[in-house]
Amino acid sequence: MLAGKHILITTVQSDSHTWNLIYIQLVLEELGATVTNLGSCVPIEESVSEIESCNADLVIVSSVNGHGYYQGMGLIKHAQNLLAGRLPPFVIGGKLSTNTKMDVFIESDLVSAGYNAVFLGDDAIASFKKYLSSMSNSTAAAL
């Protein structure tokens, strides 16, 4: 489904969790993608440098420590400033805040900032897989 796609997985600089990153990597590899997983606690500069050098088709930002919203916002803004016009699609998901009542506002803010999709809540994995499916379908339609 994602054969020929190169996907970069990263997280925010304060998030030391890795199980979420490994899970996403395994899902993507099962779908045929080539994956670069930067691991935990990735500084913004390192993420942006890797985005620039690896020619990713998609950047996934995953965070489960509750700080993904603010630090994810910093990441997308920094990437836009340094890679203007060369930015691949960006998606973000996980536990992005410590207050789930704010999820609707968080999602809107992150999309307005430049994320192509935001995955939160109980249906995050299903929505993520649907997004990946649409990504592969749009590639097939372009051929």
Side-chain angles (χ1 to χ4, degrees):
M1 179 161 115
L2 295 174
K5 298 289 185 187
H6 184 201
I7 300 177
L8 177 72
I9 303 170
T10 191
T11 190
V12 295
Q13 55 201 10
S14 68
D15 199 324
S16 63
H17 298 89
T18 57
W19 63 265
N20 53 317
L21 306 173
I22 294 166
Y23 174 80
I24 293 168
Q25 179 177 349
L26 292 173
V27 168
L28 295 169
E29 288 175 343
E30 285 180 8
L31 296 172
T34 300
V35 178
T36 299
N37 184 342
L38 298 183
S40 63
C41 298
V42 184
I44 288 175
E45 296 77 15
E46 183 179 335
S47 288
V48 173
S49 175
E50 189 65 30
I51 292 163
E52 186 172 33
S53 67
C54 80
N55 197 26
D57 296 297
L58 176 67
V59 175
I60 298 171
V61 181
S62 177
S63 179
V64 295
N65 73 346
H67 301 289
Y69 168 63
Y70 293 108
Q71 293 178 354
M73 196 66 93
L75 173 57
I76 191 79
K77 289 179 181 181
H78 194 72
Q80 288 167 333
N81 287 338
L82 292 178
L83 304 173
R86 301 173 290 144
L87 203 61
F90 260 72
V91 299
I92 189 169
K95 184 177 180 191
L96 304 181
S97 170
T98 56
N99 182 355
T100 57
K101 293 177 184 175
M102 298 300 294
D103 281 357
V104 68
F105 303 108
I106 287 169
E107 181 175 0
S108 176
D109 282 355
L110 289 166
V111 168
S112 293
Y115 281 93
N116 297 77
V118 178
F119 305 104
L120 296 166
D122 294 339
D123 67 340
I125 297 298
S127 297
F128 176 63
K129 287 182 176 181
K130 187 175 180 179
Y131 179 87
L132 293 174
S133 178
S134 70
M135 184 178 156
S136 67
N137 290 339
S138 65
T139 301
L143 295 177

